[in-house]
Amino acid sequence: MAAERERGGAGACSPQSGLPTPGQPLCTRTPSSREGGGTSGRSFRRTPLGPSRKLNASFKSPLKTSLDPELDSAGLQLQVENLRKKCDDLDHQIAELLSEGYTLKELDQHIDQLHEYNDIKDVGQLLLGKLAVIRGVTTRELYSEFGLDLED
């Protein structure tokens, strides 16, 4: 920063063109008091330093689009067919489970028990982590000390 001040101001731009003065790096400038930047003479980055990275390249959407409307409708029809097949498979699986004697009430109970188990396990993990920090050891060492399986 001191070297910039010696060059005649921290990142001062030419008032006529707004371009950097000859000794100034290309991607920093300090707003003048007229601009109300409020950086108190500190410079800030407008573009990355280093080789150009296609700054003027056109925007490319992350969404894939097709210019041919027939391809789009064919693709959508294929997706609809796949979803219908998946729905039919799930209906078949539900029918099998119902024929084996399972009920929706049992499924809800099982899900509630899994949630409770996961909550209890999370508390245990938290306590083991805190104990490991207090003792200055790893949780792996505590698992072996308490006879716990690392895969559980």
Side-chain angles (χ1 to χ4, degrees):
M1 192 101 117
E4 287 179 334
R5 285 191 194 112
E6 289 174 11
R7 280 190 257 137
C13 290
S14 165
Q16 293 83 14
S17 66
L19 297 175
T21 54
Q24 175 194 5
L26 291 177
C27 34
T28 59
R29 69 185 271 279
T30 302
S32 67
S33 59
R34 291 182 311 197
E35 296 176 48
T39 60
S40 311
R42 292 177 279 145
S43 62
F44 59 93
R45 297 207 181 275
R46 292 177 59 178
T47 57
L49 287 173
S52 172
R53 292 191 178 174
K54 295 185 181 181
L55 295 176
N56 295 325
S58 62
F59 173 76
K60 293 180 183 175
S61 174
L63 302 175
K64 294 181 181 179
T65 58
S66 174
L67 299 176
D68 188 3
E70 291 179 15
L71 290 177
D72 284 339
S73 64
L76 288 175
Q77 286 177 354
L78 182 63
Q79 286 180 354
V80 168
E81 285 179 37
N82 289 338
L83 289 173
R84 284 188 180 144
K85 285 179 187 176
K86 187 175 183 179
C87 188
D88 290 342
D89 289 342
L90 291 173
D91 285 341
H92 181 69
Q93 289 176 6
I94 289 171
E96 281 182 17
L97 290 172
L98 290 175
S99 69
E100 292 174 7
Y102 292 101
T103 64
L104 193 57
K105 185 177 180 180
E106 286 177 320
L107 180 61
D108 287 339
Q109 249 181 352
H110 186 68
I111 290 172
D112 289 341
Q113 288 174 346
L114 284 172
H115 283 296
E116 185 176 351
Y117 168 79
N118 284 331
D119 290 342
I120 292 169
K121 185 177 175 185
D122 289 344
V123 170
Q125 291 286 339
L126 179 82
L127 291 173
L128 278 173
K130 289 188 180 273
L131 184 60
V133 169
I134 290 170
R135 289 187 180 178
V137 297
T138 64
T139 53
R140 178 181 292 259
E141 292 173 29
L142 288 180
Y143 267 71
S144 63
E145 181 181 333
F146 289 105
L148 301 172
D149 185 18
L150 286 172
E151 300 301 318
D152 188 33

